[in-house]
């Protein structure tokens, strides 16, 4: 089954179908078989392909996670209805029944590597769906993502993927749910990958509005005049240096009889030069990804609507372009945040490159007015996240129960995450002699946690919240691997969607075992 695009900027993904037939009987351009690493060499995950192990081992296959080996069908030693056999490594063979989160993600990685290696093929048949159906769908589709808006197209991605040997009665529902999540991640990837001269705040807002209206969502877009009238000093201050003014976008999915209301808040700095506290030139081009949080929450609310989740989901995208100019806000300025029904908190700006927390604070206060049962906020907030956890593991802060739940669910879908503390003493560094608070601490250490403290001051009392810092995981600047290409990764869309799906079943107040 294929899924329609959410936006023109989200490229079409391969079609996915399932069949109970054996892979050897399905007509295709290639057959994909998984290999575990065993004590005596690789072991076929599908026992019907055990006879090919000797041949693929001679060709160099080892079963190492993410490895790919291609053989002509005639050399495989087995009769196939395909031209070639492709083996992909799944890593160490599982012990006992079921797969761990790590083993499941190796299935995603193998599926993604296979799809990328088979670009240009029309139809491939895969046995990985019988190992783990959801992981296979996600990996194959994410690996088939291509963004070629600005370059001459290369080989077309795989056209159709047949997952063979799948007999589960709910297979179609599993495929659809996984495919919707992948399409949402692909949308976020494409928004991140779009050049900042094409995706500025007003354009981002317009694209989000069109997509939301097509799905029947409620839409509200505050332009610079409405932001000024409402007193959104953080968003306006950050966007004051650009000729392309800021926006605040609100998208709401409101099903009948929702079990809970969840607010999603995302940082949408469509380009971040650092403002007058300008960044180094090296890798500044990657700051096109500083709107990854906004892209994620927009994509997630659209996916929630497509899945018809029984959760009211309200997404806020705080959009601005942070540039230096004669009108830019300055270190030393005092801004007043949006205060809802009264005056907002004032902030003494000490560094204009700590701008994400300024736009998010306004959006968090506005989100609180919707009476959410929980708030999930995500952003490429701090370079300190990369220092602490690397480029593939997001840091999660906030209410301990929700924070831990989010981190566990993130790991279950293959988006690495780790729960981080908010030590009380680090928040003291935000105290200001001039204003209610300052936007950076005088203490240079613990930058990710300090940013979490800043955001916490704008969360309504008693509302569980979690902040997902994805500064590293949202953008990959190296060579493709597994199901991750160069550029936007779509993190943390599948995590946010997993949390919403979990809340739909267990509610906000209960913690799930994953």
């Amino acid at each position: 089954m294929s899924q329609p695009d959410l936006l023109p900027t989200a490229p079409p993904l391969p079609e996915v179908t399932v069949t109970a037939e054996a892979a050897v009987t399905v007509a295709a351009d290639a057959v994909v078989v998984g290999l575990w690493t065993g004590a005596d060499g690789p072991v076929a995950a599908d026992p019907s392909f055990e006879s090919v192990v000797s041949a693929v081992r001679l060709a160099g296959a080892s079963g190492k996670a993410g490895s790919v080996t291609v053989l002509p069908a005639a050399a495989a030693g087995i009769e196939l209805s395909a031209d070639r056999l492709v083996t992909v490594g799944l890593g160490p063979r599982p012990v006992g029944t079921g797969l761990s989160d790590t083993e499941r993600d190796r299935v995603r990685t193998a599926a993604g590597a296979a799809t990328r290696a088979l670009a240009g093929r029309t139809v491939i048949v895969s046995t990985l769906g019988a190992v783990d159906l959801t992981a296979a769908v996600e990996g194959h589709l994410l690996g088939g993502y291509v963004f070629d808006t600005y370059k001459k197209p290369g080989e077309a991605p795989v056209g159709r993927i047949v997952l063979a040997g799948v007999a589960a009665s709910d297979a179609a529902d599993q495929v659809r749910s996984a495919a919707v999540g992948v399409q949402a991640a692909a949308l976020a990837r494409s928004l991140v990958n779009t050049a900042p001269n094409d995706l500025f705040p007003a354009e981002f807002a317009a694209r989000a509005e069109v997509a939301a209206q097509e799905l029947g969502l409620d839409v509200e877009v505050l332009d610079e005049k409405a932001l000024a009238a409402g007193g959104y000093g953080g968003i306006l201050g950050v966007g004051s240096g650009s000729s392309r003014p800021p926006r605040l976008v609100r998208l709401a999915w409101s099903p009948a009889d929702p079990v809970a209301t969840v607010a999603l808040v995302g940082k949408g700095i469509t380009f971040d030069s650092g403002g007058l506290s300008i960044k180094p030139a090296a890798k500044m081009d990657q700051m096109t990804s500083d709107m990854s949080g906004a892209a994620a929450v927009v994509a997630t609310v659209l996916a929630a609507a497509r899945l018809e989740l029984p959760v009211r989901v309200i997404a806020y995208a705080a959009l601005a372009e942070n540039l230096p100019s004669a009108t830019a806000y300055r270190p030393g300025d005092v801004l007043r945040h949006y205060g809802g029904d009264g005056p907002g908190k004032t902030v003494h700006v000490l560094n204009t490159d700590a701008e994400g927390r300024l736009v998010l604070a306004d959006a968090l206060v506005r989100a609180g007015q919707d009476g959410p049962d929980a708030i999930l906020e995500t952003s490429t907030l701090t370079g300190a996240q990369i220092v602490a956890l690397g480029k593939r593991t997001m840091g999660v802060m906030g209410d301990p129960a929700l924070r831990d739940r989010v981190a566990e669910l993130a790991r279950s879908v293959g988006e690495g995450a780790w729960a981080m503390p908010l030590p009380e003493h680090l928040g003291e560094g935000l105290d200001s002699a001039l204003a209610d608070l300052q936007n950076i601490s005088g203490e240079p250490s613990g930058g990710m946690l300090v940013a979490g403290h800043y955001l916490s001051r704008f969360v309504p009392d008693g509302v569980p919240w979690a902040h997902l810092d994805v500064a590293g995981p949202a953008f990959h600047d190296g060579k493709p691997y597994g199901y991750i290409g160069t550029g936007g990764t779509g993190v943390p869309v599948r995590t946010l969607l997993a949390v919403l799906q979990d809340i739909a079943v267990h509610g906000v107040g209960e913690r799930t075992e994953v």
Side-chain angles (χ1 to χ4, degrees), residues 238-318:
V238 173
S240 63
S242 174
S243 62
R244 300 186 289 194
R247 295 288 187 269
L248 179 63
V249 177
R250 178 184 184 273
L251 309 178
W253 157 244
S254 301
D257 301 319
V259 300
T261 295
V262 178
L264 306 177
V265 179
K267 171 187 172 183
I269 305 301
T270 58
F271 185 78
D272 183 20
S273 70
L276 291 176
S277 304
I278 198 160
K279 294 178 179 291
K283 296 191 175 183
M284 191 192 289
D285 59 290
Q286 295 180 13
M287 288 300 100
T288 182
S289 68
D290 214 21
M291 34 61 67
S292 296
V297 301
V298 167
T300 300
V301 70
L302 296 174
R306 291 181 64 199
L307 292 173
E308 298 183 340
L309 295 184
V311 178
R312 183 176 181 231
V313 184
I314 308 170
Y316 281 92

Side-chain angles (χ1 to χ4, degrees), residues 36-69:
W36 303 111
T37 55
D40 299 319
V43 179
D46 183 335
S48 64
F49 283 89
E50 194 59 40
S51 62
V52 308
V53 168
S54 295
V56 298
R57 189 174 184 178
L58 287 173
S62 65
K64 180 181 177 181
S67 61
V68 179
T69 303

Side-chain angles (χ1 to χ4, degrees), residues 16-18 32 90 99 103-115 124 126-144 161-164 166 174-175 178-179 182 483 494:
V16 176
T17 60
V18 295
V32 177
L90 298 172
L99 301 181
E103 290 161 348
R104 195 172 295 113
D105 199 49
R106 287 176 184 152
V107 176
R108 285 190 198 92
T109 297
T115 303
I124 66 173
S126 172
T127 64
L128 296 177
V131 181
D132 189 288
L133 181 54
T134 295
V137 173
E138 291 172 341
H140 277 303
L141 290 181
L142 288 167
I161 300 163
V162 181
L163 297 171
V166 177
Q174 289 187 57
V175 170
V182 170
Y483 53 87
R494 292 186 299 112

